[in-house]
Amino acid sequence: MTSCSNYLDIQPVGKVIPNTLEEYRALMTTAYSKDLLDRSVCDMRTKDITVKKDNIDQNNYGDIEKWINNSTSAREFGWLDYYENIYYANAIIDKQDEITEGSEQDINQLVGEAYLMRGYMHFLLVNFYGQPYTKEGAPKTKSIPLKLTLDLEEIPSRNTVEEVYTSILEDIESARNLITKKEWELGYNYRFNTLSVDAFEARVRLYKGEWQLAYDAAERVLKQKATLEDYNNPDAKANLYTSVESITAYERIYEPTSTLDASKATQSFVDMFSEGDLRPIRYFGEKDNEVDYYPIIKTNGSVDYKCSFRVGELYLNSAEAAARLGHLPEARNRLLQLMEKRYNPEKYELKKNEINKMEQEILISEILDERARELAFEGHRWFDLRRTTRPRIEKTLYSGQTIILEQNDERYTLRIPQSAIEANPNLSN
């Protein structure tokens, strides 16, 4: 943590010590501006993406795609960046009573964002390196260390999955009591707002399998912001920061010269989209017939496609939670409201007739498939596979080799990076 500790060194000689609201806001902006690309790398571990046949890309990502945990050559998954962001958040939380030259409301807003940032970083980490909460016995297993203080001498040990989720929800409640900004103007809408709080809670509750609480949180968002992009309009794009669906345009999931360039969509994933679905033309470029894979065009990797929370996800969260509760009319309603904006009118009518006849298990399966289609390349797919069925994955690589990940394979949970273990041996226990 030495790289971020200098910003708040007790000794002022040669250091920048924030005092004012503007200076602490700059500290928070440092956290917001950090690229966290690990979820796009995890897309490579699904059946939807394969790594292109390029020596550099294969060296960086080939072993990751093959679920090899002890690779000595592959790109190492992130660790320090998440904890640096937690450090910045802790600095704001810890020093909140010392912030000067700002109104109480603006200081509270900033501190609330810091709580949400801390909770969100812990959420990402526990879903990389902890077992899925919904897996039997997982809540009591060790995952990642919680870091809730500024103490740089602390050598933390791993907390259980349950302890991490408890802390995340506590941070969400702290943020709820402080954040008052309902919407940021374009260009600043990467910052958390009041809707971000409920959107984040809906996701956390869904991952915990707390269906009623997930449904309630999703519905609180949709009561305030429910407009969807209509893909019958050729210019509509839901995952742009300028989209009417955008709630928080924080994360850039893909980066153009690294993960986006290395990633190609598989035929099996493209086949999940039926005729009349208006998304494929927005998601995939023309097929490379030589290797049967597709370039990704849903995002070009620019900051224009930053997206952490958006309205489309909340429709799906609400639909899934309602379906799992057995509230099928509510589940069908939310799913169809989304589908009406994603299919042409003829196909939508067919889908509506199908969905209105679906019983619970088939409807849940349809909702999960719709999540795969709707939220593609936004960082959800690997996490969704983990939290639901952890299915058997069989995929054919660019090389022609077929590889298999068995259902409930232990490799659905990443190993903590070796560099982190070397820095803190407590992480190996």
Side-chain angles (χ1 to χ4, degrees):
M1 301 298 289
T2 55
S3 61
C4 56
S5 64
N6 287 346
Y7 199 91
L8 285 165
D9 200 291
I10 295 173
Q11 300 299 324
V13 178
K15 308 297 181 185
V16 179
I17 300 179
N19 293 292
T20 67
L21 175 62
E22 181 180 4
E23 290 165 344
Y24 275 100
R25 170 57 74 182
L27 187 64
M28 189 67 183
T29 301
T30 301
Y32 279 128
S33 63
K34 191 182 298 293
D35 277 338
L36 305 172
L37 304 177
D38 287 330
R39 287 195 288 159
S40 62
V41 178
C42 281
D43 278 351
M44 299 171 183
R45 297 167 66 86
T46 72
K47 194 177 180 179
D48 308 346
I49 295 292
T50 191
V51 177
K52 77 175 186 181
K53 193 175 182 180
D54 173 270
N55 288 339
I56 294 175
D57 292 328
Q58 284 294 323
N59 187 61
N60 287 336
Y61 306 111
D63 285 352
I64 290 172
E65 175 177 32
K66 298 170 188 171
W67 313 293
I68 295 173
N69 281 331
N70 58 349
S71 173
T72 57
S73 61
R75 169 197 183 276
E76 191 173 62
F77 279 92
W79 183 266
L80 182 60
D81 285 345
Y82 300 91
Y83 280 103
E84 283 188 356
N85 276 4
I86 290 170
Y87 179 88
Y88 296 138
N90 280 335
I92 294 168
I93 293 166
D94 186 73
K95 305 294 184 181
Q96 60 185 287
D97 293 334
E98 301 173 23
I99 300 175
T100 63
E101 298 182 25
S103 69
E104 181 180 2
Q105 182 176 8
D106 288 344
I107 292 171
N108 285 344
Q109 170 69 34
L110 178 62
V111 176
E113 292 174 51
Y115 274 112
L116 215 60
M117 176 64 75
R118 185 173 75 180
Y120 194 55
M121 293 300 101
H122 281 129
F123 175 78
L124 295 177
L125 285 164
V126 77
N127 279 284
F128 289 131
Y129 303 110
Q131 292 189 32
Y133 196 98
T134 49
K135 183 179 179 180
E136 185 177 359
K140 301 300 183 183
T141 61
K142 290 184 178 181
S143 61
I144 53 106
L146 283 168
K147 183 60 179 169
L148 306 177
T149 73
L150 273 179
D151 183 3
L152 291 171
E153 303 302 320
E154 179 185 16
I155 303 177
S157 298
R158 296 165 64 196
N159 292 85
T160 65
V161 170
E162 185 172 43
E163 288 169 341
V164 175
Y165 270 87
T166 296
S167 178
I168 291 165
L169 288 166
E170 288 173 351
D171 280 348
I172 289 173
E173 288 309 304
S174 295
R176 191 189 309 281
N177 293 327
L178 294 166
I179 291 178
T180 56
K181 190 79 171 180
K182 293 183 179 180
E183 189 173 15
W184 291 97
E185 56 270 28
L186 286 179
Y188 293 95
N189 56 329
Y190 59 84
R191 298 173 179 175
F192 296 127
N193 57 37
T194 55
L195 290 181
S196 308
V197 178
D198 283 325
F200 184 25
E201 182 182 349
R203 191 183 296 177
V204 172
R205 300 294 187 183
L206 199 74
Y207 279 45
K208 289 188 71 180
E210 295 177 342
W211 311 124
Q212 186 63 57
L213 292 171
Y215 177 80
D216 292 344
E219 287 297 312
R220 287 198 299 272
V221 176
L222 294 174
K223 284 180 182 177
Q224 300 176 70
K225 187 179 177 76
T227 304
L228 290 163
E229 295 277 353
D230 188 347
Y231 280 20
N232 289 282
N233 174 352
D235 297 325
K237 287 192 176 180
N239 59 318
L240 280 169
Y241 84 100
T242 55
S243 169
V244 295
E245 293 193 27
S246 179
I247 294 172
T248 308
Y250 160 37
E251 293 161 281
R252 180 169 67 160
I253 304 299
Y254 278 78
E255 197 278 330
T257 61
S258 58
T259 55
L260 181 59
D261 185 60
S263 300
K264 301 297 177 183
T266 62
Q267 183 67 57
S268 64
F269 184 52
V270 175
D271 288 344
M272 288 188 69
F273 298 80
S274 59
E275 185 177 354
D277 192 323
L278 299 168
R279 289 168 291 200
I281 196 171
R282 293 169 166 82
Y283 285 16
F284 312 112
E286 289 194 17
K287 180 180 180 180
D288 184 336
N289 290 317
E290 183 178 345
V291 290
D292 286 344
Y293 295 112
Y294 296 76
I296 299 167
I297 62 170
K298 183 182 180 181
T299 173
N300 62 16
S302 77
V303 294
D304 291 347
Y305 289 90
K306 283 192 169 186
C307 181
S308 292
F309 303 111
R310 66 175 176 90
V311 170
E313 181 198 349
L314 275 301
Y315 275 88
L316 291 163
N317 291 353
S318 176
E320 181 183 344
R324 292 187 186 277
L325 287 166
H327 301 163
L328 302 192
E330 291 88 343
R332 295 189 189 107
N333 179 54
R334 284 307 191 195
L335 180 60
L336 287 170
Q337 286 173 332
L338 176 68
M339 285 182 159
E340 187 174 15
K341 306 298 184 182
R342 302 298 189 252
Y343 294 86
N344 66 31
E346 295 79 12
K347 182 65 175 182
Y348 170 71
E349 288 301 317
L350 293 174
K351 295 294 289 186
K352 182 170 69 171
N353 291 335
E354 292 172 4
I355 285 166
N356 281 331
K357 296 175 183 177
M358 288 180 180
E359 295 303 323
Q360 185 178 33
E361 291 306 313
I362 297 175
L363 181 59
I364 291 171
S365 180
E366 177 69 19
I367 292 167
L368 295 179
D369 283 348
E370 192 64 19
R371 284 185 71 90
R373 292 185 283 262
E374 175 64 18
L375 302 177
F377 319 127
E378 295 180 37
H380 296 270
R381 184 60 166 152
W382 180 251
F383 282 5
D384 275 345
L385 293 175
R386 280 170 37 85
R387 72 175 179 84
T388 53
T389 60
R390 296 169 293 285
R392 183 179 188 270
I393 297 176
E394 180 176 332
K395 64 189 291 188
T396 302
L397 308 180
Y398 244 91
S399 64
Q401 177 188 4
T402 298
I403 58 174
I404 295 172
L405 183 73
E406 297 295 348
Q407 185 172 23
N408 280 318
D409 195 292
E410 64 179 12
R411 289 170 292 178
Y412 267 105
T413 297
L414 302 181
R415 290 184 179 177
I416 293 174
Q418 185 60 37
S419 62
I421 294 174
E422 290 172 358
N424 178 5
N426 287 346
L427 301 178
S428 63
N429 300 323

